Amino acid sequence: GDLLGLSIWRVDASQSDGAPLGGTDRRWHSAECCHPLLAIARGKIDNPLVLLDELEKAATRNDNGRLWDCLLGLLEFETSARYPDPALQIPLDLSHVSYIATANTCDPLPAPLKDRFRIIVFPKPVFGDLNALLPELIRGLAAERGIDSRWIAPLAPDERRAIANAWPGG
């Protein structure tokens, strides 16, 4: 999304139910427009990217509406083109909003929701992937410590072996 210049709206699905994402009714003091419209307003573009992180961990109770159920209407072109925002009480065209969801497993997700996503499985890294992962891990550690990664010397063979011996995989 960053590389494409899109505005990114992040939703922590493990901390959310369907009400905030889909909007809350204007009859309540906590009325709020749906998050896709807020993403459009913040990014000032009609095709922001909504990132749903940890989708499988969304609450399954439906007291305030399940996030999974709310997404069904937002992910279908026909319904998202005329999404009835409960706060504004007018239909919105949200058909250009893109959604990406992350999940550690798809097992708990309902079939209708899985049908609306293209599922891409990233395999767990194995020992053979370690050499490809190390440079980025080192860059990340350097950034966390405020160090320019160009000042870090490449790992010596014995350092790589020590890391490989200690790495549990994954």
Side-chain angles (χ1 to χ4, degrees):
D2 287 335
L3 292 174
L4 294 172
L6 299 177
S7 175
I8 301 172
W9 184 274
R10 186 181 180 280
V11 175
D12 183 354
S14 68
Q15 302 293 317
S16 184
D17 54 29
L21 182 72
T24 51
D25 198 291
R26 74 175 174 190
R27 292 175 288 190
W28 298 98
H29 77 283
S30 60
E32 184 178 80
C33 298
C34 65
H35 282 207
L37 179 62
L38 296 176
I40 290 169
R42 184 178 71 191
K44 297 178 177 59
I45 58 172
D46 69 346
N47 62 338
L49 177 65
V50 175
L51 170 62
L52 304 154
D53 195 25
E54 304 282 354
L55 185 59
E56 84 283 9
K57 293 181 178 76
T60 56
R61 292 178 47 185
N62 61 1
D63 301 0
N64 297 315
R66 287 190 325 167
L67 179 70
W68 296 344
D69 296 335
C70 174
L71 278 171
L72 296 178
L74 293 169
L75 296 173
E76 283 288 334
F77 180 81
E78 290 296 320
T79 52
S80 67
R82 290 179 293 283
Y83 184 78
D85 185 84
L88 299 176
Q89 296 195 349
I90 59 169
L92 303 173
D93 183 359
L94 304 173
S95 61
H96 299 289
V97 177
S98 297
Y99 297 86
I100 291 180
T102 66
N104 295 311
T105 177
C106 291
D107 294 340
L109 300 176
L113 187 59
K114 288 193 267 189
D115 288 345
R116 286 165 174 81
F117 279 105
R118 178 180 303 139
I119 297 173
I120 302 170
V121 178
F122 290 91
K124 195 174 185 179
V126 295
F127 183 76
D129 299 322
L130 187 58
N131 283 332
L133 295 172
L134 279 175
E136 188 57 36
L137 289 171
I138 291 169
R139 275 192 289 281
L141 290 170
E144 284 176 16
R145 289 162 175 79
I147 301 169
D148 186 331
S149 61
R150 293 175 293 182
W151 288 97
I152 298 175
L155 293 175
D158 60 326
E159 291 172 318
R160 285 182 177 272
R161 278 193 301 278
I163 291 171
N165 290 336
W167 186 52

